[in-house]
């Protein structure tokens, strides 16, 4: 009978504590891929198993594993948050780069328009009577089939060019917005700058240089 009591009193290993430790370790490497669920489960199981071990009066063992699961769980949870934040920043920066590149492409497409208007301003020696018909100044533009990022290009009698962006998916929140280009006399030459006050495209997508 004494032998039986000794056998029955042998502490048993708590499986929940072991599971917590394993999940915590896995969470360090793969926690970000599970959106933090793996390390969160490790922390919960670690606290539960530790509580059961303390209430078992020596019948359960594995408190060290439970603590290991809690610690690695919190560490992997923190790492998951950091990785997720870095990925979000990287994806956002990439999308902004795509939009900026698309806007730069749009400005390149408008180069013939700027050249034609610059010639008019130079010939007339003023910007008050610009011909607003693209075809009549040698610009072949079909607003029914414009470049992929442009919905429409128009200009007024002062030579101000208004570019309406298309709804292309690559333009994201710049889709459907406008960019306004203004001719400016500088040191006897005609230079072009973006009128940021009238342009509705976010400033972060526009070139930082003063003149195009």
């Amino acid at each position: 009978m004494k032998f039986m009591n000794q056998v029955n009193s042998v502490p048993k290993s708590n499986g929940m504590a072991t599971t917590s430790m394993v999940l915590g370790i896995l969470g360090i490497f793969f926690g970000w891929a599970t959106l933090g669920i793996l390390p969160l489960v490790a922390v919960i199981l670690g606290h539960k198993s530790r509580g059961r071990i303390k209430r078992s009066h020596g019948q359960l063992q594995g408190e060290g594993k439970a603590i290991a699961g809690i610690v690695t769980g919190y560490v992997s949870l923190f790492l998951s948050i950091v990785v997720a934040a870095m990925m979000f920043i990287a994806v956002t920066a990439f999308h902004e780069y795509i939009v900026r590149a698309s806007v730069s492409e749009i400005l390149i497409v408008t180069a013939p328009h700027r050249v034609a208007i610059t010639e008019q301003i130079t010939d007339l020696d003023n910007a008050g009577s610009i011909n607003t018909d693209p075809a009549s100044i040698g610009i072949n533009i079909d607003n029914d089939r414009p470049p992929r990022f442009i919905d429409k290009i128009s200009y007024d009698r002062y030579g101000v060019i208004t570019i309406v962006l298309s709804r292309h998916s690559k333009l994201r929140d710049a889709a459907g917005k406008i960019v306004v280009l203004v001719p400016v006399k500088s040191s006897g030459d005609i230079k072009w700058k973006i009128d940021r006050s009238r342009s509705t495209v976010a400033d972060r997508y526009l070139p930082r240089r003063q003149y195009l």
Side-chain angles (χ1 to χ4, degrees):
M1 179 66 71
K2 183 177 180 181
F3 175 76
M4 292 296 294
N5 289 335
Q6 289 177 343
V7 171
N8 291 333
S9 63
V10 174
K12 295 180 180 180
S13 179
N14 186 276
M16 189 181 295
T18 303
T19 302
S20 172
M21 183 181 67
V22 172
L23 292 179
I25 294 172
L26 290 175
I28 293 176
F29 300 98
F30 308 108
W32 61 271
T34 62
L35 302 178
I37 294 176
L38 203 63
L40 185 61
V41 172
V43 170
I44 293 173
L45 292 181
H47 282 295
K48 282 189 174 182
S49 60
R50 193 182 182 196
R52 289 183 181 181
I53 291 170
K54 285 185 176 181
R55 293 192 298 270
S56 70
H57 303 292
Q59 295 300 309
L60 294 174
Q61 63 181 7
E63 186 175 6
K65 293 180 180 179
I67 294 174
I70 293 171
V71 172
T72 55
Y74 277 123
V75 170
S76 56
L77 188 61
F78 172 76
L79 292 176
S80 297
I81 294 173
V82 172
V83 171
M86 291 176 64
M87 290 180 65
F88 175 78
I89 293 172
V91 170
T92 300
F94 174 74
H95 285 312
E96 287 193 2
Y97 167 77
I98 294 297
V99 177
R100 284 198 303 271
S102 302
V103 172
S104 296
E105 181 180 326
I106 289 169
L107 296 176
I108 292 173
V109 169
T110 64
H113 299 266
R114 286 182 273 131
V115 170
I117 292 175
T118 298
E119 290 176 353
Q120 286 196 77
I121 295 174
T122 303
D123 292 340
L124 296 171
D125 197 29
N126 68 80
S129 55
I130 298 300
N131 192 330
T132 59
D133 180 19
S136 66
I137 59 174
I139 299 296
N140 183 17
I141 179 170
D142 182 1
N143 278 324
D144 292 328
R145 299 185 63 186
R148 59 176 178 164
F149 296 134
I150 299 176
D151 184 54
K152 186 178 181 181
I153 300 177
S154 61
Y155 23 88
D156 62 18
R157 65 192 185 91
Y158 300 105
V160 176
I161 301 175
T162 300
I163 310 163
V164 181
L165 277 58
S166 70
R167 295 287 179 178
H168 198 286
S169 58
K170 282 189 176 181
L171 293 176
R172 300 179 70 81
D173 58 327
K177 301 296 180 63
I178 66 171
V179 178
V180 179
L181 306 180
V182 180
V184 178
K185 284 188 175 183
S186 176
S187 301
D189 297 325
I190 301 299
K191 295 184 178 181
W192 289 85
K193 65 186 300 183
I194 298 173
D195 188 338
R196 298 174 188 273
S197 63
R198 285 192 281 177
S199 298
T200 58
V201 172
D203 195 63
R204 65 180 180 275
Y205 299 137
L206 300 174
R208 290 187 174 88
R209 60 185 184 275
Q210 184 177 5
Y211 298 108
L212 299 178

